[in-house]
Amino acid sequence: MKTEIKSKVQKIIEAHKAANSGYVAEIEKWEKDTMYSDSYKKEMIKGFEQKIQENDASFNEQLKQVVQEEKAALIGAPKDKPADYQMQIANALEFIKLAGKNLTDDQAYGILKPFQGDVETMSLFQSVVGNYVEGGLDSRFTKTFEKTNNIIALENNFSTIESLSGNLLNSTGNNFELGIKSGIFMGNVDAIEKISSSIEE
C-alpha cells in the first residue's frame, strides 16, 4: 500500500505559512508604527489577526480532509462478510485446536487466510493462537499476524493525527505547545508512511 500523506500534509503546512506571512508582516509593521494612535493600530492589527484565524481554520479543515482520505484509502471500510462467515470462523478455530501447540506459522496462515482483512476477527484468532502455542507469538507467527498488527498500528497512528488535525495550525497559540503537537503529528505521519509501505495490497 502506497501513501503520500507526508507530502500532502507538508504542502498544506507550507501553503498555510505562505498564506499568513503577508498578514504577519503587516502586523509587525503596525506594531512598530509611530504615526498613528494606539487604538487605530490595534484596530488594524485586529483585522489582520482575524484574517490569520480564518486561514488557520481553512487550512486545518484541509488537513482533516487529507487525513480522512488517506485513512479511507489505506484502511478502507469493513468488507461485507459472506453468509457462512461464522461457520468459517468455527471451522478455523477447530483446525487451530487440532494442531494445538504444534501449530506452525505457515499452517496458521493457511487456516486464517480468508480473515486477513478483518482486524477484529484476526485479533481474536491472535489471542486463541497465543493460548495454544508456547513462546512469543510475534517472533513465531509473523506471516500470519503481521498484516493485522500493521493495520492496528495504522489505526492507532491515524487516531492520533485525527485528534490533532483540527487545530494543528494555530498561529495565535503557544509556540512551545504547537511545536510539541507538530512533532507528535509528523512522527505519526512518518509512522503511517513506514507501516503502509510494508503492507502488501
Side-chain angles (χ1 to χ4, degrees), residues 13 164 168 177-187:
I13 291 170
L164 293 172
L168 187 76
E177 271 178 37
L178 292 172
I180 290 172
K181 261 191 195 176
S182 183
I184 293 169
F185 186 89
M186 291 312 290

Side-chain angles (χ1 to χ4, degrees), residues 73-137:
L74 285 175
I75 298 171
K79 294 177 177 65
D80 288 337
K81 296 176 169 103
D84 65 342
Y85 200 64
Q86 290 305 318
M87 178 73 80
Q88 286 182 30
I89 291 172
N91 289 341
L93 285 168
E94 201 54 44
F95 282 125
I96 290 167
K97 210 192 302 184
L98 285 170
K101 63 176 191 219
N102 297 319
L103 184 71
T104 66
D105 191 11
D106 283 335
Q107 286 173 326
Y109 183 77
I111 295 166
L112 301 177
K113 204 170 180 184
F115 313 103
Q116 277 295 330
D118 181 353
V119 174
E120 208 178 317
T121 303
M122 284 300 286
S123 295
L124 293 172
F125 278 125
Q126 202 162 11
S127 55
V128 169
V129 170
N131 287 335
Y132 280 109
V133 298
E134 292 157 8
L137 260 185

Side-chain angles (χ1 to χ4, degrees), residues 20 22-34 36-53 172:
N20 278 348
Y23 299 133
V24 170
E26 283 295 330
I27 288 170
E28 284 170 3
K29 202 165 83 180
W30 280 103
E31 281 171 343
K32 289 174 190 161
D33 183 87
T34 51
Y36 294 91
S37 70
D38 283 353
S39 61
Y40 182 73
K41 287 198 295 187
K42 265 185 193 158
E43 200 54 44
M44 294 304 291
I45 287 168
K46 200 173 158 189
F48 290 119
E49 284 174 345
Q50 182 64 41
K51 299 268 188 205
I52 286 173
Q53 281 173 0
T172 55

